[in-house]
Each structure stands twice: as C-alpha cells, then as structure tokens.
Amino acid sequence: MHPLLRAAGALTATGLAGLGYASLIERNAFTLRRFTLPILPTGADPIRVVTMSDMHLVPRQTRKIEWVRRLADLKPDLVVNTGDNLGHMEAVPAAVRALEPLYGIPGVFALGSNDYLAPTAKNPARYLLPDSRTPVVDRALLPVGELIDSFERDAGWLNLNNARGGLHVKGLDVEFVGVDDPHLDRDTYAAVAGPRASDTNLFLGVLHAPYTRVLDAMARDGVDAIIAGHTHGGQLCVPGFGALVTNCDLDRHRAKGVSRWWEGANGVPSREAPADAPWMHVSAGLGTSPFAPVRFACRPEASLLTMVPRA
C-alpha cells in the first residue's frame, strides 16, 4: 500500500475511534468535581453546595437521571441550578425525577436558553464563530412554565431570573442576585443591581451564561462568588491545551472550574486578581445538545463547592 494511503487510513481510523469514544463513552462518564471557596465569615460552619448545569435532558437518558439523583447522597446544604435543564419537548417529568431527591433542600435557579427553546440541528462550525446563536424564530418553545412551577412549588427553590432574594443556610443569611439567560439577551441586571444588604453574611451571583457584562456588574456590587454554567467546558477540548471556545465572550481559560473575576479580568490569570475579587465557578455541565452528543477531554460534571471561612 502506498505510504500516503496508509497514513490516510490510520488517520481515518484514529478519528473514528476518537468519535466513538466521545459519543459512546465520555459523554456518559459523569463525574463530581470538588472545590473549596474561602468566602464565609470567620467562625462560620462550612456550607456544602451542589451546583449543576446543562443537563440538556432527554427522557430516555436514564443513566444521567439516576446519576443526578445520587447527588442528594452528598447531603448538601444548598443547591444551585444554573439552567439548560431540558433537551426535549417532553423532558420536564424526566428533569423532575432527576432532581426530586434534592427538592426541599434550600436552593436557587437561573434559566438558560435550552429551558426556553428546543434544541435544533446546526453546523458545528458555528461554535467557532464570535456569535454562535441561532435565530429564536427557528426554534420551538419548551414547556418552561412547567419547569418553573416545579422548582418553585415542589422544590421550594428561589427563582433568580432577573431577581434578588435571600435564604437562611447553616445559620447564615445568604443573599442572591441573578439574571435570566444572557445568551438570549434576557438579562436585565440594572433592574436588580446594588450592593449587599447590611445584614448579609454571604452574597452570591447566579446566572447561566457567563457573559462579561454581567460578571463585571456583579463584581462591582461586591458579590463573594459567582456561579454559572453554559460553556460545557468547551465540550470538545484538546488535551494539554483545554477548551477551544466558551460559546460566549468569556476567555477559554475560565471555561470550567474555579477562578477569580474582576473588571478587566478577561484573559488575565487569576493569580493577578485583586484581594477583593469574587471567586467564580463555571460548570462544564452534565449534557450535550441531542444533535451534538459528543464530549472529548471534558467529562460531564456536577460540582460540590465547600464554602469555608476566609483565611
């Protein structure tokens, strides 16, 4: 066989093997990430926070549903759901089943585009463009009202879509500020902006898509930490290099995990953060669009954030 044909055959085989791994194995290799955030007042007891994002749930995904249900075994003190729960017109009952063991635990939620709009097929190369969004007019509406009703009525979770609110958690008064999905330009942070209340022990910002305009505004208001999702951690990553894109204007080095944020932080290492810069956690999420069911070098995840007193 000609060397070029042999090389082409080897490259094709490698590509097919990688695609098989990404579509059949890694996208179902759910993992729990653990991080510690030193943001509580001196002497406070630790707060265990389960954070999840981007389930993109389809009713037949029983493995994912059962994995999410087991997050309750972590005995969290607080639940933060940052949206994109749905991946199918009939996914609300499946999402409720997945999350039901966490119902009744103090929690908050902010919605993402895929809680409102059904997924649609599109050219994967669009993700490499500065604005990968597809026109809203091309997409069917999901039953988001049913999801909100369950989260508010049955779970008792606080709705943070362009809203503020508070919860009492482990003896602390925790204040939250959140926005509806910036990826759909549904955010109106100016309507909820402002510094923490005088009696607040902990101040958290919550949103789905970590667009810098909202991160900057939350940092200006003095939040202790920001919790987000949306990026899928890049979804298809290069080992040793990381995410290629974030599907928003956040720099790729902050595509997942814990970092620091302050005005002007985009592209700047967290080691250069001012002392009062908020911490930020971006979840790589638990799912994919049903039209792009692959992950590579970026396992689906939820996180356990342990908040402890400041040093």
Side-chain angles (χ1 to χ4, degrees):
M1 181 182 291
H2 192 282
L4 288 178
L5 291 177
R6 188 163 51 246
L11 184 61
T12 300
T14 300
L16 290 174
L19 180 61
Y21 168 79
S23 62
L24 298 175
I25 298 176
E26 184 163 327
R27 76 179 177 92
N28 292 309
F30 307 109
T31 190
L32 180 73
R33 306 294 185 193
R34 297 173 184 262
F35 302 96
T36 299
L37 301 184
I39 58 176
L40 298 185
T42 300
D45 292 331
I47 294 177
R48 292 162 61 85
V49 184
V50 162
T51 71
M52 71 199 69
S53 192
D54 299 272
M55 285 197 298
H56 294 277
L57 198 58
V58 173
R60 65 177 180 272
Q61 294 172 329
T62 56
R63 182 185 303 181
K64 185 190 299 184
I65 290 169
E66 294 305 315
W67 192 89
V68 172
R69 286 178 63 86
R70 291 196 294 273
L71 291 174
D73 296 342
L74 298 169
K75 306 297 183 185
D77 305 300
L78 177 67
V79 177
V80 179
N81 181 307
T82 55
D84 272 11
N85 295 277
L86 309 179
H88 189 278
M89 293 297 292
E90 299 176 4
V92 171
V96 171
R97 171 165 172 75
L99 296 169
E100 182 269 336
L102 296 166
Y103 280 20
I105 298 170
V108 299
F109 68 95
L111 298 175
S113 61
N114 285 279
D115 295 310
Y116 293 105
L117 303 173
T120 184
K122 65 178 180 180
N123 185 342
R126 286 186 59 88
Y127 285 107
L128 301 177
L129 300 176
D131 189 342
S132 67
R133 292 173 286 187
T134 54
V136 172
V137 294
D138 294 342
R139 301 173 66 177
L141 299 181
L142 290 166
V144 66
E146 297 176 21
L147 186 71
I148 293 172
D149 285 347
S150 183
F151 284 179
E152 292 182 333
R153 181 189 63 241
D154 303 325
W157 292 349
L158 190 63
N159 185 336
L160 292 179
N161 292 288
N162 298 321
R164 294 177 78 114
L167 295 172
H168 194 68
V169 181
K170 290 289 289 288
L172 298 181
D173 290 316
V174 185
E175 185 176 5
F176 300 89
V177 61
V179 293
D180 206 342
D181 187 23
H183 195 60
L184 292 180
D185 296 322
R186 294 179 64 98
D187 56 300
T188 57
Y189 189 81
V192 294
R196 73 179 70 210
S198 59
D199 57 351
T200 292
N201 303 121
L202 179 65
F203 189 20
L204 301 177
V206 178
L207 72 164
H208 175 66
Y211 279 82
T212 60
R213 64 179 183 270
V214 183
L215 303 181
D216 285 350
M218 289 180 170
R220 284 194 297 269
D221 281 345
V223 298
D224 295 301
I226 300 167
I227 300 174
H230 174 72
T231 65
H232 294 197
Q235 189 165 325
L236 297 176
C237 297
V238 177
F241 182 81
L244 298 175
V245 294
T246 62
N247 201 21
C248 61
D249 63 352
L250 184 69
D251 68 83
R252 64 179 187 83
H253 296 289
R254 291 181 169 89
K256 65 178 179 179
V258 167
S259 62
R260 305 291 293 275
W261 187 264
W262 65 99
E263 286 192 84
N266 218 23
V268 181
S270 290
R271 64 176 178 269
E272 299 184 22
D276 60 350
W279 292 81
M280 181 169 70
H281 174 263
V282 177
S283 174
L286 283 159
T288 68
S289 165
F291 294 102
V294 293
R295 278 183 176 257
F296 190 80
C298 186
R299 290 173 63 179
E301 66 179 46
S303 295
L304 179 66
L305 308 180
T306 301
M307 299 180 177
V308 299
R310 302 178 186 90

